């Protein structure tokens, strides 16, 4: 089973700042099978990025994904108040696994 | 509007059974793989099971194999999760999700979830 490790566990930033979230895999992952989700308290996850770098429908262009192999990154260029949430990466190898999440909180 | 609505959650004793349902609308249900994903209280997301469009392929996380069964009724646009021999560690919010499986693999539509509590 491929393990995804997200860092940092918690990221404290202010609106307008740039956020960089990391997702590292225990073995190489196909970029086609790497996705990012956003989850706000009491809500279902929301797809942000699929294929490591493709934005889902309706996702603002301040969200971008990059990476390959074992290292992937989600970047939010200029934080808006509604972006403070928990972010999960997900991969498909022989089965789906999720990272443990990065909590993005207001500083 | 594309929508998934889960139901069937509740309080059940350890060793008991529960059947979750997910009603799909706004898309051609029979054309998509579907998934169940759960989230224990205060924890992260855990994939539980997938099912192919015609139900011919089913996959499970190891921790539920032999206890949970995923199924679907395309005529009713519905997905199900039969959960038997429930344990305290199965306590979670259970989400139904549409699973896109082509060149890319990801879950693009999610329901709001239904809560399962396993406790005596």
């Amino acid at each position: 089973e491929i393990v995804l490790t997200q860092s940092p566990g918690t990221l404290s930033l202010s609106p307008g700042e740039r956020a960089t979230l990391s997702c590292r895999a225990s073995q190489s992952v196909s970029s086609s099978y790497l996705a990012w989700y956003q989850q706000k308290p009491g809500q279902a996850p929301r797809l942000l990025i699929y294929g490591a770098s493709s934005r889902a429908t309706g996702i603002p262009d301040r969200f971008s994904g990059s990476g390959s192999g074992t290292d992937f990154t989600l970047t939010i260029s200029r934080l808006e108040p509604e972006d403070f949430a928990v972010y999960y990466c997900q991969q498909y190898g022989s089965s789906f696994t999720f990272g443990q999440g990065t909590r993005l909180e207001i500083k | 509007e594309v929508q998934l609505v889960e139901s069937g959650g509740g309080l059940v004793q350890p060793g008991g059974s529960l059947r979750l349902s997910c009603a799909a609308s706004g898309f051609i249900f029979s054309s998509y793989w579907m998934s169940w994903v759960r989230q224990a209280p205060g924890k992260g997301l855990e994939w539980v099971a997938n099912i192919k469009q015609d139900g011919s392929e089913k996959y499970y996380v190891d921790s539920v194999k032999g206890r949970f069964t995923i199924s679907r009724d395309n005529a009713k646009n519905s997905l199900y999760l039969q959960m038997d021999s429930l344990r305290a560690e199965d306590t979670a919010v259970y989400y139904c999700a549409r699973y896109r499986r082509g060149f890319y693999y990801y879950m693009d539509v999610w329901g709001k979830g239904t809560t399962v509590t396993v406790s005596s």
Side-chain angles (χ1 to χ4, degrees), chain B:
Chain B
E1 179 191 5
V2 174
Q3 197 171 13
L4 297 170
V5 179
E6 302 92 338
S7 61
L11 174 64
V12 61
Q13 292 188 338
S17 298
L18 212 54
R19 189 196 196 205
L20 306 183
S21 300
C22 171
S25 59
F27 65 99
I28 303 173
F29 179 72
S30 60
S31 296
Y32 293 87
W33 284 73
M34 296 296 294
S35 298
W36 287 100
V37 175
R38 67 184 178 183
Q39 187 169 35
K43 302 298 184 182
L45 301 169
E46 180 183 38
W47 165 75
V48 174
N50 290 334
I51 186 168
K52 194 177 179 180
Q53 291 93 328
D54 61 0
S56 62
E57 294 182 35
K58 303 175 183 181
Y59 302 95
Y60 301 90
V61 68
D62 284 347
S63 60
V64 309
K65 283 179 182 176
R67 301 188 301 121
F68 289 12
T69 303
I70 189 172
S71 63
R72 63 192 296 162
D73 185 336
N74 288 340
K76 295 183 177 180
N77 293 330
S78 293
L79 176 72
Y80 305 102
L81 186 67
Q82 176 66 41
M83 304 187 295
D84 298 320
S85 303
L86 282 161
R87 306 167 181 168
E89 55 265 35
D90 296 318
T91 294
V93 175
Y94 284 74
Y95 296 102
C96 163
R98 188 172 77 176
Y99 167 22
R100 303 297 294 270
R101 181 176 166 127
F103 182 75
Y104 303 109
Y105 286 15
Y106 56 93
M107 298 169 187
D108 66 338
V109 179
W110 296 66
K112 294 184 177 182
T114 188
T115 300
V116 173
T117 303
V118 184
S119 175
S120 54

Side-chain angles (χ1 to χ4, degrees), chain A residues 23-51:
Chain A
C23 176
R24 179 161 291 177
S26 58
Q27 55 188 280
S28 185
V29 171
S30 169
S31 295
S32 298
Y33 302 159
L34 194 288
W36 289 91
Y37 300 85
Q38 176 194 67
Q39 187 178 33
K40 297 180 180 178
Q43 296 186 17
R46 173 196 183 196
L47 175 68
L48 297 176
I49 301 287
Y50 64 92

